[in-house]
Every structure is written in structure tokens, then in C-alpha cells.
Amino acid sequence: MTIILILLVAIAGTGAALYAEHRFHLRRKGPKPAEPEEEPQQEECCGMHITCERDSLLASVSEQIEYYDDDELDRHAGKDPSQYTDAEIEEFREVLLTLRPDDIAGWARSIQLRGITLPPAVRDELIMIVAEERSARSSNA
């Protein structure tokens, strides 16, 4: 029992001595110079992450308006999404569901560039479809 007590005191004493030496060294050197802060880089969202999924689809990444045989939707430009009727919501949904999976993200960008706000239900479906498509692509890669 005495041996264990002696070892414990020796370990504690060594630890205290090392700690004191470390503190002494820090005081002698002075404060650590501040590292220059790096400016956060504005990275373009790749759309492959859940956190930027919504932003990458609905932000105007491309300035070119492309039509996907949906000219009739232009009459909704500037319309408040809460004002859509059920028939108009179904019109958006029909266009969305008839698009090829490769065209969906481009269609969403085109819709925004044309000043059309998607109904919330269709927008959520669009995000879900794109997320599923990207997930399928990444698992195949």
C-alpha cells in the first residue's frame, strides 16, 4: 500500500512540475500572436448537400431562361403563391411530373428567372425529387 502511495505522489509531483514549467514557458514567450483571420470564401453550392439543396435549386445559378414546353405557366409571373387555385397547383404538378429527371433542376431555375413562384406543395415535391435523383446518382457513382 505504501508503494502505491509513493507512486501516486511521484506522479502527481511530476505532473505539477511539468504544468509549472509549461506555464513559465508561456509567460516567458509572451502572448501568442493572433493568427490572421481568413475571409470566408464564397463557394458556390454544388447542390449535393441537404443544407444547400433548396438554395441551389431556387437561386438564379444560370441567367439563361429555358422553356420546357411550359409557356402557359408564364401567366403566373408575379403571382402570390397563396393565391393559386387547386387547378393551377395541379398544372404546375403536371409539368413537374412530366419532366425528365435531368431537366428538373434546370426547370426550377428557369421558373424563378421568369418571375414565377411555385406553390409551396409543388416546391417541396420538386426539392424531394431532386434530392432523390441526386442520391441515386451518387450511389451509382
Side-chain angles (χ1 to χ4, degrees), residues 35-109:
E35 295 180 18
E37 292 184 25
E38 294 181 22
E39 291 184 24
Q41 294 180 350
Q42 292 281 348
E43 291 185 26
E44 189 172 302
C45 180
C46 64
M48 293 299 291
H49 305 93
I50 294 246
T51 56
C52 62
E53 189 89 27
R54 181 178 303 259
D55 296 334
S56 70
L57 287 176
L58 301 178
S60 39
V61 174
S62 167
E63 296 297 323
Q64 181 181 0
I65 295 175
E66 189 173 334
Y67 284 88
Y68 295 84
D69 197 22
D70 63 347
D71 304 354
E72 70 275 4
L73 297 179
D74 282 343
R75 73 179 189 277
H76 299 297
K79 189 172 187 177
D80 181 13
S82 64
Q83 301 298 317
Y84 288 123
T85 65
D86 289 341
E88 291 169 336
I89 293 171
E90 282 306 312
E91 186 178 7
F92 279 102
R93 186 173 284 127
E94 181 180 335
V95 172
L96 172 63
L97 297 177
T98 57
L99 290 169
R100 293 188 340 221
D102 293 345
D103 291 337
I104 292 176
W107 177 73
R109 286 189 292 272

